[in-house]
Amino acid sequence: MSAAESTVIAPPRRRTVSTRFYRSELRLVFGRRRNQVGLAVLAAVPILISIAIKTSASRPGQDAPDFFSSITQNGLFLALAALTIELGLFLPIAIAAIAGDAVAGEANTGTLRYLLTVPVARTRLLAVKYAAIVLSALVAAFLVSVTGIVMGLLLFGGGDVVLLSGSTAGFADGLLRVLGATVYVGLGLAALGAVGLFFSTLTEQPIGAMIATVIFSTACYIADTVPQISWLHPYLITHYWMAYADLLRDPVSWSQMVDGLWLALGYAVVFWLAAWARFGRKDITS
């Protein structure tokens, strides 16, 4: 037998998927002091709401939103009330800050060129950045919701949940509905994160990308209240954000939530691809 024949050919090495870059990105996102402060503000809102309602001499009347008028009967509704309040401004700002910093922040600090010479493919970099944004959106929504649940149960108790349709559900069923609403809110915010990621590829100033994202979200919110352009409403990113209230009905009405999830997916795909197209041909100078 010749030497060539006796040589054992080793099987090709299987490539393993490494999560090191993703874990590094998560440490970067949740390790930033400003993001920690932002999350603390998000958690403070349900705490302030619970204290204000508990110490108030008057209770929400019939003109108050359903979630607020139900808080004193069941603390689970505090989580939904907090989500309702924070969806208007605080949650979009938190996601805009994280998404706007994703690429522009790296360029601003001079680490973007280093990242791409490691090497990290631009497509992979954007995918990891957006995956971190999605997780951040879910964490932000759950932080508000869980804080609201804990404070609500401590101050107002739990028990059976009287749904918006008038029927009653058990505590476990009610808790599951609240957590489902939280996931829905998080996915809607993740779609806004894709918009912020796109703006982040247009500039080297993260504050500019953040402001542009907040303006976009606020403009959609305002446009959704203008009846003269009702034909546009179903295409606005914020239009279905409040559809999670349908989880508190019996039976659950899924149509608006399904439309909201499809819309969120559409925004996420379109703006991530726009970010990819922009970032793929962008000159990296810093």
Side-chain angles (χ1 to χ4, degrees), residues 159-215:
D160 291 342
V161 179
V162 179
L163 303 176
L164 300 182
S165 54
S167 57
T168 303
F171 177 80
D173 185 19
L175 179 61
L176 189 61
R177 291 170 187 255
V178 172
L179 295 179
T182 307
V183 172
Y184 179 81
V185 169
L187 294 177
L189 292 170
L192 180 64
V195 178
L197 180 64
F198 168 67
F199 286 136
S200 188
T201 63
L202 301 179
T203 178
E204 294 185 358
Q205 298 300 323
I207 187 66
M210 172 188 167
I211 291 173
T213 307
V214 173
I215 290 175

Side-chain angles (χ1 to χ4, degrees), residues 96-119:
I98 294 172
D101 203 41
V103 176
E106 300 279 9
N108 186 256
T109 56
T111 56
L112 186 57
R113 174 182 284 183
Y114 170 76
L115 273 178
L116 295 176
T117 55
V118 170

Side-chain angles (χ1 to χ4, degrees), residues 19-32 36:
T19 60
R20 181 180 177 184
F21 187 22
Y22 183 58
R23 287 183 280 115
S24 173
E25 180 65 20
L26 291 180
R27 285 194 296 270
L28 184 65
V29 170
F30 293 106
R32 285 194 178 105
Q36 294 172 353

